[in-house]
């Protein structure tokens, strides 16, 4: 049999072979795709060489083409934003903890764990200034937004220093923190204002024009502060500590605006990124943490709009001012860089000629068949098989319902609420039986909110007395009333449902009593008839 099949296959000579590009997998129609997810997932991953140790910090140049520096071990690497390749490296005496560009992009400052702050020229490898005053490791350094003559730094000696860069002297020592100063940022609207975060759980707002080195405002984050950042308006700040990110209103007296606690481990870095172009662009707060997740937070709606997982704990994040480049650093020295995909129209404008493009494209790739090519429809896809052909039929993929997909992801409460909205009693009972098998039904009922609890009570009122479902639903009804009795009694919209449920149960009890009475009358008669 095998020899006959081999002979049949060899009889059909192949005249020409064309490589066919496989069809891309269809995206699910779950409705989860949002403008934020489309935007942040459009960053095309770009491979970068892994560094030696943890990537401590990034800094993007504020001027075009927005090159960026990466702090790693005792070196600072300057990368091109176009090619994402290293252009120049700068060496320091100890492990670099922070970097910051000047407003004109010509200089950048770097601090290290020896307490030294140095200022470098982008085009020269030698340090222009070495600022010594910290008695412990310097943890952050920042250039003011437009000021080219001053620097702000802080370190483990709990002191914040305001520097005169030209004279390499300290203008003022700002005292007030009681523990390590680990982060800081400068106001985008006032060069004299800056904030610092410390392990004493506080964020202090400083004004360089105020005498006696006294802070002008203080905010208690509640946990050791890992990073702070000014939001573009200048009137609000964001703080990161432990697994929470909080947004505060400075103009409103340090009022807490919103809090995000979607990370599972310590949040290590924050930055602000722009989503979109022109006047329609919106600002988003981007955070990374040791759990390996990058979260995008819309602080206007107090909602996490996008989340992405990386294969390593994350230590730092940076986004270019024009939003075209995103770089994330891991604790193991991995760099995760991404660039915005260029639209096809913009690509065509930048091309010199069609012939230059064709010379760069691989021949095999050009000849790959696509649905837009006429040869795609002439390749024999619609031809009927002959009697001697062997057909291989692919298995049809089973289409899962929404609640089945949620159950596969172990999102039990969402699956129950989803199937309750479909108003199919058989499907609802099937999902409930599955949750009983998983021992999650009672927990789902306990976590339901007001509207979701109303859907459940409406379903129980309608189907709890139906014979096919009463075995499960009557016990569930009793459990719901025991566990959520206080929540149900306190709301007016549940009174009608409870009244109808009570009426249905009483009516069913009367029917059962009548049936029992009839059974009591019929049983002796049937017994007598059986004897005869």
């Amino acid at each position: 049999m095998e020899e006959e099949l081999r002979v049949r296959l060899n009889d059909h000579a192949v005249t020409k072979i064309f490589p066919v590009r496989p069809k891309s997998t269809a995206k699910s129609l779950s409705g989860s795709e949002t403008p934020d997810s489309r935007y942040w997932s459009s960053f095309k991953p770009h491979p970068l060489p892994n560094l030696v140790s943890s990537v401590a910090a990034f800094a993007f140049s504020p001027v075009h083409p927005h090159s960026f520096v990466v702090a790693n071990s005792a070196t600072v690497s300057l990368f091109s934003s176009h090619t994402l390749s290293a252009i120049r490296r700068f060496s320091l005496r100890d492990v670099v903890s922070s970097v910051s560009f000047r407003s004109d992009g010509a200089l950048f400052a770097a601090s290290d764990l020896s307490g030294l702050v140095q200022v470098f020229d982008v085009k020269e490898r030698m340090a222009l200034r070495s600022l010594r005053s910290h008695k412990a490791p310097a943890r952050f350094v920042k250039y003011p937004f437009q000021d080219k003559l001053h620097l702000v730094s802080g370190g483990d000696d709990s002191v914040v220093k305001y520097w005169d860069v030209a004279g390499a002297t300290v203008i003022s020592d700002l005292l007030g923190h009681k523990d390590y100063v680990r982060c800081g940022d400068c106001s985008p609207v006032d060069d004299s204002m800056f904030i610092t975060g410390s392990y004493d759980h506080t964020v202090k707002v400083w004004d360089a024009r105020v005498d006696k080195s006294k802070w002008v405002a203080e905010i208690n984050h509640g946990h050791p502060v890992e990073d702070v950042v000014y939001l573009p308006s200048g009137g609000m700040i964001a703080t990161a500590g432990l697994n929470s990110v909080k947004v505060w209103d400075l103009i409103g007296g340090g009022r807490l605006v919103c809090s995000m606690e979607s990370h599972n481990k310590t949040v290590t870095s924050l930055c602000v990124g722009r989503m979109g172009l022109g006047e329609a662009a919106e600002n988003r707060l981007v955070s990374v943490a040791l759990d390996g997740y990058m979260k995008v937070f819309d602080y206007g709606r107090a909602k996490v709009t996008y989340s992405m997982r990386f294969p390593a704990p994350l230590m730092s994040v940076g986004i270019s001012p024009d939003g075209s480049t995103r770089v994330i650093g891991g604790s193991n020295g991995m760099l995760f860089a991404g660039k915005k995909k260029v639209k096809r129209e913009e690509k065509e404008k930048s091309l010199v000629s069609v012939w230059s493009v064709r010379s760069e494209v691989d021949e095999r790739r050009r000849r790959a068949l696509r649905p837009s090519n006429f040869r795609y429809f002439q390749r024999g896809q619609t031809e009927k098989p002959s009697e001697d052909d062997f057909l291989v039929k692919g298995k049809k993929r089973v289409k899962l319902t929404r609640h089945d997909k949620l159950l596969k992801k172990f999102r039990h409460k969402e699956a129950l609420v989803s199937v309750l909205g479909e108003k199919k009693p058989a499907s609802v009972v099937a999902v409930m039986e599955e949750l009983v098998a998983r021992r999650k039904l009672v927990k789902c009922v306990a976590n339901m909110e007001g509207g979701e609890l109303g859907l459940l009570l409406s379903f129980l009122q309608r189907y709890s007395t139906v014979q096919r479902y009463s075995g499960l639903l009557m016990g569930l009804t009793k459990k719901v009333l025991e566990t959520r009795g206080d929540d149900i009694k306190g709301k007016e919209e549940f009174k009608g449902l409870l009244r109808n449920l009570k009426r249905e149960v009483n009516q069913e009890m009367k029917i059962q009593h009548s049936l029992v009475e009839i059974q009591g009358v019929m049983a002796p008669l049937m017994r007598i008839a059986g004897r005869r």
Side-chain angles (χ1 to χ4, degrees):
M1 183 65 181
E2 294 180 357
E3 293 180 358
E4 293 179 2
L5 180 59
R6 192 179 298 112
V7 170
R8 290 176 183 174
L9 292 175
N10 291 334
D11 289 344
H12 298 276
V14 180
T15 58
K16 211 170 187 180
I17 297 176
F18 293 97
V20 180
R21 173 180 289 181
K23 295 181 179 179
S24 59
T25 306
K27 294 183 180 179
S28 61
L29 299 176
S30 58
S32 60
E33 189 176 18
T34 61
D36 285 69
S37 64
R38 286 195 298 269
Y39 179 83
W40 294 103
S41 61
S42 65
F43 282 86
K44 185 177 180 180
H46 193 284
L48 286 179
N50 294 339
L51 302 178
V52 178
S53 61
S54 175
V55 181
F58 296 104
F60 278 87
S61 173
V63 298
H64 189 78
H66 305 298
S67 55
F68 60 96
V69 289
V70 179
N72 170 259
S73 187
T75 62
V76 176
S77 302
L78 177 66
F79 282 78
S80 169
S81 60
H82 290 309
T83 61
L84 296 184
S85 58
I87 303 173
R88 193 172 289 106
R89 284 183 173 84
F90 306 84
S91 298
L92 282 84
R93 296 185 178 181
D94 209 329
V95 177
V96 184
S97 57
S98 178
V99 286
S100 176
F101 265 100
R102 200 170 71 171
S103 58
D104 58 0
L107 305 178
F108 72 90
S111 60
D112 62 25
L113 298 189
S114 67
L116 182 65
V117 177
Q118 293 179 283
V119 179
F120 293 88
D121 189 340
V122 173
K123 298 180 181 180
E124 301 289 339
R125 296 190 178 185
M126 297 297 293
L128 300 180
R129 292 288 186 275
S130 294
L131 311 178
R132 292 184 180 276
S133 181
H134 285 287
K135 298 178 180 179
R139 293 293 180 174
F140 89 91
V141 62
K142 278 287 182 180
Y143 262 107
F145 190 68
Q146 291 293 337
D147 190 353
K148 301 179 181 180
L149 303 177
H150 300 94
L151 273 177
V152 180
S153 66
D156 289 352
D157 54 3
S158 306
V159 181
V160 179
K161 295 183 180 291
Y162 188 64
W163 297 87
D164 176 15
V165 179
T169 56
V170 178
I171 297 176
S172 58
D173 287 332
L174 307 177
L175 307 175
H177 285 294
K178 300 178 181 179
D179 207 339
Y180 300 152
V181 179
R182 286 302 178 98
C183 52
D185 197 16
C186 295
S187 171
V189 294
D190 190 345
D191 293 336
S192 301
M193 301 288 294
F194 49 92
I195 54 176
T196 55
S198 171
Y199 274 11
D200 61 3
H201 300 192
T202 63
V203 175
K204 297 187 185 297
V205 184
W206 308 89
D207 191 343
R209 298 164 295 188
V210 176
D211 295 332
K212 299 181 181 179
S213 303
K214 184 70 174 177
W215 67 86
V216 295
E218 184 183 44
I219 292 171
N220 191 339
H221 180 84
H223 301 288
V225 182
E226 298 289 344
D227 201 5
V228 293
V229 63
Y230 261 101
L231 299 182
S233 63
M236 302 174 70
I237 64 171
T239 62
L242 206 58
N243 66 334
S244 63
V245 177
K246 298 181 181 180
V247 178
W248 308 83
D249 184 6
L250 294 182
I251 299 177
R255 178 178 59 89
L256 178 63
V257 178
C258 55
S259 176
M260 176 191 69
E261 297 180 359
S262 62
H263 286 288
N264 297 323
K265 293 184 179 180
T266 302
V267 181
T268 53
S269 182
L270 297 174
C271 75
V272 178
R274 290 181 66 80
M275 191 191 78
L277 298 173
E279 299 179 356
E282 298 179 2
N283 294 309
R284 294 288 187 267
L285 185 62
V286 182
S287 63
V288 294
L290 295 180
D291 58 4
Y293 278 94
M294 179 195 79
K295 304 279 185 178
V296 179
F297 186 53
D298 184 357
Y299 52 88
R301 294 183 295 164
K303 181 180 179 182
V304 177
T305 57
Y306 184 73
S307 177
M308 190 173 184
R309 177 70 185 271
F310 292 87
L314 306 180
M315 300 300 296
S316 52
V317 61
I319 297 176
S320 62
D322 60 357
S324 63
T325 309
R326 182 209 65 210
V327 189
I328 298 174
S331 61
N332 56 358
M334 296 181 67
L335 283 174
F336 307 99
K339 284 187 68 67
K340 284 286 293 179
K341 294 180 180 178
V342 182
K343 293 183 180 180
R344 190 171 183 180
E345 295 80 3
E346 296 175 359
K347 265 188 180 179
E348 291 176 355
K349 291 180 182 178
S350 62
L351 295 176
V352 179
S353 66
V354 178
W355 301 106
S356 62
V357 177
R358 289 185 178 179
S359 63
E360 295 174 0
V361 179
D362 183 74
E363 180 68 19
R364 185 178 178 183
R365 189 175 178 183
R366 278 200 303 115
R367 297 184 62 191
L369 292 178
R370 300 176 179 84
S372 59
N373 197 319
F374 181 74
R375 289 186 291 116
Y376 178 90
F377 301 97
Q378 297 294 325
R379 73 191 193 284
Q381 178 179 342
T382 57
E383 291 182 1
K384 295 182 179 180
S386 61
E387 296 180 357
D388 298 332
D389 288 338
F390 180 76
L391 297 179
V392 180
K393 294 183 178 180
K395 294 182 180 180
K396 291 186 178 180
R397 189 175 181 180
V398 180
K399 187 176 181 180
L400 298 178
T401 58
R402 177 171 173 76
H403 56 266
D404 285 330
K405 294 178 182 178
L406 293 172
L407 285 174
K408 286 185 69 176
K409 298 178 181 178
F410 300 97
R411 295 159 65 178
H412 300 116
K413 191 191 81 168
E414 296 179 26
L416 181 58
V417 174
S418 173
V419 76
L420 284 171
E422 295 177 3
K423 299 181 181 179
K424 295 180 180 179
S427 300
V428 176
V429 174
V431 171
M432 289 181 176
E433 290 175 347
E434 177 64 23
L435 293 177
V436 170
R438 298 186 184 188
R439 299 181 181 180
K440 295 294 182 180
L441 183 58
V442 176
K443 186 175 181 180
C444 292
V445 172
N447 293 334
M448 280 186 169
E449 299 178 357
E452 300 167 348
L453 189 59
L455 282 175
L456 179 60
L457 289 175
S458 178
F459 177 80
L460 294 175
Q461 175 259 322
R462 187 173 300 176
Y463 296 104
S464 59
T465 56
V466 177
Q467 183 180 1
R468 288 184 297 172
Y469 315 129
S470 59
L472 172 66
L473 297 185
M474 290 303 296
L476 178 61
T477 303
K478 182 178 178 182
K479 200 69 179 177
V480 170
L481 295 177
E482 288 177 355
T483 57
R484 303 299 299 272
D486 297 337
D487 299 332
I488 296 173
K489 291 178 182 178
K491 295 189 177 182
E492 294 290 334
E493 59 267 23
F494 294 154
K495 288 186 177 180
L497 295 174
L498 287 176
R499 193 183 305 112
N500 295 338
L501 180 60
K502 184 177 180 181
R503 184 178 67 249
E504 293 290 338
V505 173
N506 290 335
Q507 185 177 355
E508 184 65 22
M509 291 177 62
K510 290 179 181 178
I511 294 173
Q512 295 294 332
H513 284 310
S514 301
L515 292 176
V516 171
E517 292 176 359
I518 294 172
Q519 184 180 6
V521 174
M522 294 294 295
L525 298 177
M526 297 297 293
R527 196 176 297 112
I528 294 172
R531 291 175 183 175
R532 294 181 181 178

